[in-house]
Amino acid sequence: MSEPQPARSAPDAPSSDTEESPGLSMELVFAVQDALAEERVTEIEDLVPGLHEADAADLLETLNRDERKLLVEILGSTFDPEILPNLDVSVREEVIEWLGPTGLARAVTELDSDDAVEVFEDLDEEFQHRILSQLPQAHRMILEEGLSYPEDSAGRLMQREFVVIPSAWTVGETIDYMRAAKDLPDDFYDLYIVNPKHHPIGFLPLSRVMRTKRHVRLTEFMETDLKTIPVTMDQEDVAYLFRQYGLVSAPVVDDAGRLLGVITVDDVVHIIDEEAGDDIMKMGGVSEPDLYSAVLDTTKARFTWLVVNLLTAILASLVISLFDATIEQIVALAVLMPIVASMGGNAGTQTLTVAVRSLAMKDLTEANATRFIGKELLIGTINGVLFAILAGGVTWLWFEIPVAGRRDRRRHGDQHGGRRSVRDADSPGPGKSRRRSGDCFQRLPDHRHRRDRLLRLPGPGGGVFALDQIKFRWNRNRRSIVLVNLI
């Protein structure tokens, strides 16, 4: 009798002998999709509620709209409000629509103040009023205050849940207060010391307070090097402060210096990610991430930048058209033009990437901007010379022409008793045609509107021929182009 097979582990359970990448497991995604397709409610209720809110948000974004709506309806009251701040804005709007005013009001009351403001600020004004009318007064005041600050400012980011201690307290009084208080934040790292005017004068890490004897006053060992953040400071500058000084949290103050809230490092991580994404999007001419946006919305958002690109491309084409006569005579130029454009674009992209990154990190300022421009110009010049030499060598090997951009000085050789540069050894007279081995040499009319596709062959056997009907080769010994065949 065979031994019973062990039960299969849950789709999201990591294997003990294989290393899995962090984040949402694709096995779990497929399992949820199968369960939604067959409406196995019990299985969905077992799989989804145990996920971390960030993984649950990734799951919702991975599903299509119908699957997403069904999952939200199945979860119902068990839907974790912490999922909302982690969702993409487009997906969040859909989920909020399905939750309705009552469900969203319940979710907002369970979120931290900074997360609640983040979710609430993207709603239209009418929907905001409907939600505010269903909230308790304390939560309503927090949201209204948060929305009164400029967008992307420290006032929108700060938490109102933090621990403030009077400067006259001792360690023992502080510990007793934290044990007895019921409205403390779930997680906090620093205690902020304020004077009677509610101005922050220092801070203490919680670990240092716990290691100090009870009778010691907080002002005797507190940190006074406090980096305060004005409530109207831009979030990009906030991220710079945290990165520059290695902060875990920082107090936010109003114009009078009174303590209003605290910004923690977990909020700054999201800011850095968002600002870096914005810089990348701007380099590509995209206003915002549109992975989950509707097709028409994405099309309209990208249309303007593409129009600008079209106009610049037309301008470049007009410049090239000034040299159409030269291009007619030296076909290699038409082949080499895309190489020149590509190399120039890549070189510009390299400089642009370094400049954007330096601006974001505040490494490029007015003090060193001139030096940066001079350096990039010098780099472009050196690379231009080096690649011109390299491209010239490649051109010589490719076309067997020593100088691709130079007209052969023997092009009008017939007028000086010399050889023609474009000729056929057995060329008949003008206007005549000749058949040999099934090939036809035929003279074509000079159509000006097709000038970019025609080649003029000088001499008595010459004429204007379409480029796609001509086959020729370079004769190195005679230093001339020999007409081989007309197709």
Side-chain angles (χ1 to χ4, degrees):
M1 183 175 180
S2 61
E3 295 181 0
Q5 297 295 325
R8 187 176 65 177
S9 59
D12 57 335
S15 174
S16 58
D17 56 349
T18 59
E19 182 180 354
E20 294 187 357
S21 59
L24 186 64
S25 169
M26 291 308 299
E27 294 181 0
L28 177 61
V29 175
F30 296 146
V32 172
Q33 288 178 330
D34 292 341
L36 289 172
E38 300 177 7
E39 297 186 0
R40 299 195 299 266
V41 178
T42 304
E43 184 176 347
I44 295 173
E45 292 175 345
D46 292 337
L47 291 173
V48 179
L51 290 175
H52 187 275
E53 55 268 15
D55 292 334
D58 290 341
L59 174 62
L60 283 172
E61 292 173 350
T62 305
L63 302 176
N64 61 44
R65 178 182 172 88
D66 295 335
E67 294 172 337
R68 196 180 298 145
K69 182 177 181 180
L70 180 58
L71 179 58
V72 173
E73 292 176 351
I74 291 175
L75 294 178
S77 60
T78 62
F79 183 85
D80 187 0
E82 294 289 342
I83 297 175
L84 293 175
N86 292 280
L87 287 173
D88 179 83
V89 176
S90 300
V91 179
R92 186 194 302 161
E93 291 177 353
E94 295 179 352
V95 174
I96 288 176
E97 179 183 352
W98 299 327
L99 290 176
T102 303
L104 182 59
R106 177 189 63 82
V108 167
T109 57
E110 298 181 17
L111 291 173
D112 291 335
S113 56
D114 56 331
D115 292 333
V117 172
E118 179 183 357
V119 172
F120 199 74
E121 66 183 356
D122 294 325
L123 304 177
D124 59 77
E125 188 174 352
E126 180 181 355
F127 199 70
Q128 286 179 354
H129 289 305
R130 295 174 60 186
I131 302 300
L132 289 174
S133 63
Q134 301 186 38
L135 293 177
Q137 183 177 2
H139 289 85
R140 183 165 62 249
M141 292 179 61
I142 289 175
L143 290 176
E144 291 176 345
E145 179 188 1
L147 295 176
S148 66
Y149 298 118
E151 188 176 357
D152 296 334
S153 66
R156 296 282 185 103
L157 295 172
M158 67 180 181
Q159 294 181 9
R160 278 75 174 174
E161 301 87 8
F162 58 98
V163 181
V164 180
I165 306 297
S167 57
W169 279 18
T170 63
V171 172
E173 292 173 320
T174 302
I175 293 176
D176 293 339
Y177 163 73
M178 290 189 295
R179 288 174 177 171
K182 297 181 180 180
D183 56 349
L184 293 180
D186 294 334
D187 301 302
F188 59 94
Y189 309 100
D190 296 326
L191 307 179
Y192 291 94
I193 318 301
V194 296
N195 60 18
K197 294 183 179 181
H198 208 66
H199 294 172
I201 60 175
F203 73 97
L204 279 170
L206 186 59
S207 58
R208 189 178 302 177
V209 174
M210 302 303 295
R211 294 197 304 263
T212 308
K213 295 183 179 181
R214 293 180 60 86
H215 67 276
V216 180
R217 288 186 176 275
L218 300 178
T219 53
E220 295 180 12
F221 65 104
M222 70 180 182
E223 295 284 347
T224 57
D225 185 17
L226 199 62
K227 303 295 182 183
T228 58
I229 298 177
V231 70
T232 56
M233 177 181 283
D234 187 82
Q235 65 177 14
E236 191 170 352
D237 296 327
V238 173
Y240 173 77
L241 281 177
F242 272 76
R243 181 182 64 86
Q244 185 75 5
Y245 301 106
L247 302 179
V248 176
S249 62
V252 180
V253 297
D254 61 9
D255 295 337
R258 292 187 296 268
L259 183 61
L260 296 178
V262 173
I263 295 178
T264 56
V265 68
D266 60 320
D267 298 314
V268 175
V269 170
H270 293 295
I271 297 173
I272 295 174
D273 184 48
E274 180 182 341
E275 294 294 338
D278 289 343
D279 292 337
I280 295 175
M281 294 295 172
K282 290 176 182 177
M283 289 178 59
V286 182
S287 58
E288 60 183 15
D290 49 25
L291 180 62
Y292 307 103
S293 301
V295 174
L296 291 179
D297 295 337
T298 302
T299 303
K300 289 187 290 186
R302 299 183 185 183
F303 183 80
T304 303
W305 180 250
L306 292 177
V307 169
V308 174
N309 283 345
L310 176 62
L311 295 177
T312 56
I314 293 174
L315 180 62
S317 299
L318 292 176
V319 174
I320 294 174
S321 67
L322 300 176
F323 304 92
D324 57 350
T326 304
I327 295 174
E328 286 181 5
Q329 299 170 8
I330 307 177
V331 184
L333 293 179
V335 179
L336 297 175
M337 277 193 299
I339 299 177
V340 176
S342 176
M343 292 298 296
N346 290 336
T349 301
Q350 290 178 340
T351 301
L352 181 62
T353 302
V354 174
V356 171
R357 175 63 177 170
S358 300
L359 288 171
M361 302 298 292
K362 296 188 181 298
D363 294 330
L364 182 59
T365 61
E366 295 179 359
N368 59 0
T370 303
R371 184 171 69 251
F372 173 80
I373 294 174
K375 174 185 175 182
E376 292 299 325
L377 287 175
L378 183 60
I379 292 173
T381 302
I382 295 175
N383 279 335
V385 172
L386 293 177
F387 280 99
I389 296 173
L390 180 61
V394 172
T395 302
W396 184 81
L397 294 174
W398 188 359
F399 295 99
E400 297 182 349
I401 302 176
V403 182
R406 177 183 171 189
R407 295 185 181 181
D408 194 288
R409 57 174 174 264
R410 302 179 185 179
R411 184 171 61 88
H412 302 291
D414 285 345
Q415 301 175 6
H416 304 284
R419 290 185 297 271
R420 298 195 306 271
S421 60
V422 181
R423 61 190 177 90
D424 179 69
D426 301 320
S427 176
K432 298 181 180 180
S433 62
R434 176 190 54 135
R435 295 183 178 273
R436 183 179 63 184
S437 301
D439 296 328
C440 178
F441 285 57
Q442 181 179 1
R443 183 174 179 177
L444 302 179
D446 186 1
H447 297 293
R448 293 296 177 181
H449 65 281
R450 293 187 56 199
R451 194 173 180 181
D452 59 331
R453 299 179 56 192
L454 302 180
L455 180 65
R456 182 180 299 277
L457 303 182
V464 178
F465 297 89
L467 290 181
D468 56 359
Q469 294 181 328
I470 296 176
K471 183 178 180 182
F472 53 87
R473 62 181 174 83
W474 173 258
N475 190 320
R476 184 178 299 179
N477 296 328
R478 297 185 178 183
R479 301 188 62 82
S480 61
I481 297 177
V482 178
L483 183 62
V484 177
N485 197 1
L486 283 178
I487 301 173

